[in-house]
Amino acid sequence: MASATLMPSWRDQRRNGGGRFGDGNRRSVLTTTVQREYVHRAAVSEVFLTNWRRGAAGSWVVSAQWPRAHSFYAPVGGLHDPLLLIETMRQAGILLSHVAQRVPLDRPIIWQRIRYDLVPRALRAAEEPAEVELHITDHDVVRRGKRLASARQEFRVLCDGAHLASAVLDYSCHSPAVYRRLRGRYSDLTFANARRLPLPEAVSPRLVARDRDRDVVLSPTGRPDHWQLRVDTSHPVLFDHPVDHAPGMLMIEAARQAAQAATPGVTVPVAMDCTFERYAELDAPCWVRARTTTPVARPAADGRRQVEIGVEQHGKPVIAARITSVSTA
């Protein structure tokens, strides 16, 4: 499981319709991001969402903008990083849990599963920032009393007006008291961070299609398909704010880098299916393993290659992912 805990701040947003956005205004020439508290970000520069409105038949439309370049999720081979899609889904899911489902800001949002399938050509980076639109519907909504307990969000995503991806996010919500019971002593942020492991060395950035050691989240073990998770709590994007465990976006980045290390050439993950089993603690090593399921000697007809990733801690699964990639060449 990976948490995305909302920040303790609240401002009511007017219910609206007729094309008006969540702040009560129609789209104008000037564009701002949503409040950072709504997407659990400390840095305004890391907020991609610009607004939201009601769609048809109980759906929501969330607008976002992707920069031409990003300090961590940078374009590769002229294509936007697909993990921008996951981060945008993360932000949209938190936003709507708050404004649509009225989840209190002190309730953690916990991922169970996230998956997407995208069209690579729609990732093409242009001279202008990419305008992204997410059409989102809720399914399998479970409530305990009046409070949301869990839901599945289905996404249809457009980039600059073209179909980019279909995606699904399954998540649950817990009260602070339940979260403390689930996490035990690790719910204490100071305690959890005081016990974090020293930062291990990085694999070669080239192995995982990165330019800097700082952006590498795998550490070598002497085996080509087996790494230690490298948890740098000072990283300004992966650890935008202090948390009591390794965050979900770090775990997804580890899966992506492991799939890249196991696949020849520079690739882009065009499909991902990731299941979260438990929290990854900061005080014990996590082990990342990759297994290629499409033989390198006999790739799929369209050049797609599939890698299965497993992450374990204390001998128990943390996440399991299946990533399908294509070459950027």
Side-chain angles (χ1 to χ4, degrees):
M1 295 185 290
S3 74
T5 310
L6 292 168
M7 303 289 283
S9 175
W10 168 263
R11 272 177 47 185
D12 283 329
Q13 298 290 326
R14 293 193 293 269
R15 294 181 179 274
N16 59 86
R20 289 186 180 273
F21 285 83
D23 56 9
N25 298 319
R26 296 186 183 275
R27 185 183 296 275
S28 65
V29 175
L30 297 177
T31 300
T32 60
T33 62
V34 303
Q35 287 180 280
R36 59 184 180 171
E37 292 85 359
Y38 284 96
V39 297
H40 196 206
R41 278 299 190 184
V44 174
S45 61
E46 296 302 321
V47 179
F48 299 137
L49 306 189
T50 55
N51 225 317
W52 72 94
R53 61 178 170 84
R54 291 186 178 277
S59 67
W60 290 81
V61 180
V62 176
S63 59
Q65 187 180 81
W66 290 348
R68 291 180 296 169
H70 187 269
S71 63
F72 186 67
Y73 299 118
V76 175
L79 301 178
H80 285 292
D81 188 339
L83 266 62
L84 277 175
L85 170 63
I86 295 185
E87 172 60 20
T88 306
M89 290 171 58
R90 186 196 73 82
Q91 293 186 16
I94 293 175
L95 171 73
L96 292 183
S97 72
H98 180 37
V99 301
Q101 299 291 350
R102 295 299 190 236
V103 172
L105 284 171
D106 62 353
R107 295 203 170 196
I109 304 298
I110 312 297
W111 284 355
Q112 272 73 53
R113 186 180 184 187
I114 190 166
R115 55 194 186 275
Y116 71 78
D117 197 328
L118 61 80
V119 180
R121 64 177 178 273
L123 287 172
R124 184 66 59 187
E127 294 182 358
E128 300 289 339
E131 299 295 335
V132 179
E133 194 171 81
L134 302 94
H135 297 253
I136 307 168
T137 54
D138 288 327
H139 300 271
D140 299 336
V141 175
V142 176
R143 298 182 183 277
R144 293 190 178 94
K146 295 183 178 180
R147 295 299 188 189
L148 180 71
S150 62
R152 185 180 82 253
Q153 290 180 321
E154 295 188 357
F155 295 75
R156 182 172 60 86
V157 185
L158 306 178
C159 184
D160 291 330
H163 174 73
L164 170 62
S166 57
V168 178
L169 173 62
D170 296 278
Y171 69 94
S172 61
C173 307
H174 299 297
S175 69
V178 170
Y179 185 76
R180 287 192 294 270
R181 288 199 296 271
L182 285 173
R183 300 290 292 129
R185 59 182 182 173
Y186 290 105
S187 66
D188 184 325
L189 190 63
T190 301
F191 173 86
N193 279 268
R195 293 169 55 89
R196 65 181 181 268
L197 295 178
L199 185 65
E201 66 174 309
V203 302
S204 167
R206 175 176 288 187
L207 179 67
V208 293
R210 286 291 183 177
D211 296 324
R212 304 178 299 177
D213 283 357
R214 186 172 195 183
D215 293 336
V216 174
V217 301
L218 301 180
S219 181
T221 65
R223 291 176 50 183
D225 60 348
H226 187 195
W227 306 270
Q228 181 180 345
L229 181 67
R230 188 169 184 265
V231 182
D232 181 1
T233 58
S234 71
H235 195 282
V237 176
L238 294 173
F239 286 85
D240 167 80
H241 54 275
V243 291
D244 60 39
H245 58 278
M249 289 304 295
L250 169 60
M251 307 309 292
I252 288 174
E253 178 64 25
R256 184 260 288 277
Q257 290 191 16
Q260 174 62 71
T263 308
V266 178
T267 62
V268 58
V270 296
M272 182 182 295
D273 189 342
C274 186
T275 302
F276 297 81
E277 301 289 345
R278 54 180 42 82
Y279 295 95
E281 308 299 354
L282 303 176
D283 63 354
C286 282
W287 305 106
V288 184
R289 295 179 173 85
R291 182 170 70 91
T292 303
T293 57
T294 301
V296 172
R298 294 184 292 106
D302 62 355
R304 297 189 173 209
R305 303 177 190 272
Q306 190 174 89
V307 181
E308 292 184 355
I309 309 297
V311 181
E312 294 183 352
Q313 189 176 57
H314 299 303
K316 297 179 179 179
V318 175
I319 70 165
R322 180 180 296 110
I323 297 178
T324 303
S325 301
V326 297
S327 172
T328 59

